[in-house]
Amino acid sequence: MKIELFKLGSISIPGYGFMIGIGFIIALFVGEFRAKRKGLKDEAVIDIAVIAAIMGFIGAKILFIIVDFKAFIQDPLHFLGSSGFVIYGGIISGILCNMLYCKVKKLDFLTYFDLIMPEISIAQGFGRIGCFLAGCCYGKETDSVFSVVFPPGGQAPSGVALIPVQIYSAIGNFIIAAILIVFADVILKKSKKSLPGDIASMYMVLYGIGRFVIEFFRNDYRGAIGFLSTSQFISIFIVAIGIALYVVKHRRAAKTITY
């Protein structure tokens, strides 16, 4: 854990915020590079990235508040100033706001949605490394050799061996990003059956399944709906929407070709 990563004079640079910033910059560069190769507007990629970052931050914080609203009412300033976020809130708000942006700019949303999702996954990977440095989003206790013991001062329980779910989540996000880029830029590029929205569908299915599974190994409070955590509950719908988007688009395309 490294809550304070380093100092620049009297300015303290937190590990969590630094990793979020690094993830955003790398994702932006990768997005611009891929946009130019695909003949898309790289300035639109910058706009979409900025909107996703700002609205993602706001949405993730809002869902974090909703999940534990009773505690928020008791100490709202603590909640607003904490590093607590629920990433699904950020994903949902970022997508909705960028749908509006693409509509205003008369851009095909699904085309840019496909372009940006691998970069979103890259940014999420760095974000999870930030979680590890901050000691948040921690895992359950374990006697496995693949464990981490956090020192006092963070959100995670100190002095006990925990599953390093933050690192596993980061690796999973980087793997998803690699899979999406390979499919988008190599495999589906040669396929005449690929349609706008295919990569977005793949992201929703892969991330939704991965998030559903990793939630079983986390031990921080994330709200609950029945026996599922809030994120697991949302994951079911994310996977369903991803599958539905793919099926509907391809069925419509098949009917158009048939008739």
Side-chain angles (χ1 to χ4, degrees):
M1 187 176 74
K2 195 76 173 176
I3 295 177
E4 181 185 274
L5 197 58
F6 57 88
K7 278 191 172 184
L8 290 175
S10 60
I11 302 174
S12 175
I13 306 299
Y16 182 80
F18 182 79
M19 285 300 163
I20 292 291
I22 290 294
F24 177 78
I25 292 170
I26 292 176
L28 185 58
F29 277 122
V30 173
E32 284 191 278
F33 174 76
R34 295 182 64 238
K36 289 177 181 178
R37 291 188 63 183
K38 293 175 180 293
L40 300 175
K41 297 180 178 179
D42 56 334
E43 64 270 20
V45 173
I46 296 175
D47 291 343
I48 289 170
V50 171
I51 291 170
I54 295 173
M55 298 312 301
F57 177 89
I58 294 172
K61 177 62 74 173
I62 290 173
L63 187 54
F64 175 67
I65 291 171
I66 292 172
V67 164
D68 200 3
F69 191 69
K70 290 183 179 179
F72 169 73
I73 292 297
Q74 294 174 358
D75 192 358
L77 292 179
H78 171 73
F79 258 70
L80 293 174
S82 73
S83 61
F85 297 94
V86 177
I87 193 64
Y88 266 134
I91 293 173
I92 294 169
S93 62
I95 289 174
L96 292 176
C97 289
N98 274 310
M99 284 178 70
L100 179 60
Y101 168 83
C102 288
K103 185 174 183 179
V104 171
K105 292 292 184 177
K106 295 180 172 56
L107 300 173
D108 182 54
F109 170 70
L110 287 179
T111 298
Y112 283 88
F113 194 18
D114 281 347
L115 173 73
I116 207 70
M117 292 323 293
E119 288 74 38
I120 292 294
S121 198
I122 290 172
Q124 286 178 303
F126 280 96
R128 287 307 179 190
I129 296 175
C131 290
F132 181 77
L133 295 177
C136 62
C137 306
Y138 52 88
K140 294 181 177 180
E141 292 189 28
T142 180
D143 55 4
S144 170
V145 293
F146 299 105
S147 63
V148 59
V149 178
F150 288 98
Q155 297 181 39
S158 61
V160 294
L162 304 175
I163 301 172
V165 289
Q166 308 98 321
I167 299 301
Y168 294 153
S169 295
I171 293 171
N173 278 300
F174 291 140
I175 291 174
I176 289 173
I179 291 172
L180 296 180
I181 290 174
V182 169
F183 266 84
D185 297 353
V186 180
I187 298 175
L188 294 184
K189 186 177 181 180
K190 300 177 181 179
S191 174
K192 295 180 180 180
K193 295 182 179 180
S194 64
L195 295 171
D198 283 356
I199 297 301
S201 297
M202 189 178 297
Y203 167 84
M204 287 188 281
V205 171
L206 291 176
Y207 181 77
I209 292 173
R211 184 59 188 269
F212 188 92
V213 172
I214 204 72
E215 284 288 301
F216 286 113
F217 302 97
R218 284 178 59 169
N219 204 34
D220 57 317
Y221 180 73
R222 303 170 307 290
I225 299 176
F227 61 90
L228 298 175
S229 72
T230 302
S231 291
Q232 284 179 317
F233 184 76
I234 296 174
S235 290
I236 294 172
F237 289 94
I238 293 295
V239 171
I241 291 170
I243 294 172
L245 175 63
Y246 181 88
V247 171
V248 169
K249 291 285 291 183
H250 280 264
R251 281 186 177 178
R252 286 180 178 175
K255 288 181 180 179
T256 301
I257 293 172
T258 302
Y259 296 108

